[in-house]
Amino acid sequence: MKAPVIAIDGPSASGKGTIAKRVASALGCHYLESGALYRLVALIALRQELMEETSIATAAAGMDVYFQGDEIFLEDQEVSLHIRNEDVGKRASEVARMPEVRKALLERQRAYRQPPGLVADGRDMATVVFPDAELKIFLTASPEVRAQRRYKQLIEKGIAANLAALSRDLAERDARDANRAVAPLVPAPDSQVLDSSALSVEAVADRILESWKSIGGHG
Ligand code: CDP
């Protein structure tokens, strides 16, 4: 039997990461932040000035990555903060349009599905990576709320940010993620859509945990 999966997808800065982490820890499950993998590929592409899809996909397939709590290591170098920069996020959404890159990351993502279960967040967790996930959530929030959240998040990390520029970047990234040919950002037909604009982190996490219990999930 495969370990159960809770898939949480949604647009940039909708709060997926915070919520997914909280749900994973409440259930004692593993956690996969798939966006971090795309950001790592973007970081490599920026550093090595890779432009071609095939060479970026080769780098994605071969990259040596590990996660330790909130820390992320690439080839033994801690890059947790580097990958949060908006230029890396922007490049991530560009490399994420490349079918070969998505293919190169597919099995790596599926390998996180281990007992007792996995909470995975991203854009295509419910549609492509774990189409048989037991629970599928599509988390949204208004563009204004998302820009504010991202601004706060960056400032708290000590990364300089500008609200107007962030709003523009988010809108651009949303459009690119939603309109790409492969694995576009859309809710799966069986996803529960949850608008978190007016909800606290606790309230959103509680709703997901309730849904999980209502379908007989453990925890
Ligand atoms: O932090 P934010 O929500 O803006 O983005 P992220 O989750 O860190 O992902 C960065 C970029 O990777 C996104 O803009 C997507 O283009 C891409 N991505 C994807 O295509 N598929 C995923 N499962 C996760 C991220």
Side-chain angles (χ1 to χ4, degrees), residues 12 14 31 48 60 75 97 110 117 136 145 166 170 205:
S12 285
S14 56
Y31 167 55
Q48 300 181 10
E75 322 292 347
R97 290 169 80 175
R110 289 184 176 151
K136 300 179 176 183
V145 168
L166 270 179
L170 284 187

Side-chain angles (χ1 to χ4, degrees), residues 12-13 16 34-35 38-39 92-93 96 102 122-125 150 173 177 180:
S12 285
K16 306 176 300 283
S34 63
Y38 287 93
R39 285 174 179 267
S93 83
R102 303 200 74 84
R123 304 292 190 286
D124 61 344
M125 297 298 98
R150 177 52 47 89
R173 199 123 62 90
D177 288 350
R180 70 184 172 213

Side-chain angles (χ1 to χ4, degrees), residues 2 18 29 40 64 72 115 129 137 150 180 197 202 218:
K2 283 184 173 172
T18 310
C29 282
L40 286 161
D64 177 18
I72 302 175
V129 182
I137 305 289
R150 177 52 47 89
R180 70 184 172 213
S197 304
E202 293 74 21
H218 74 89

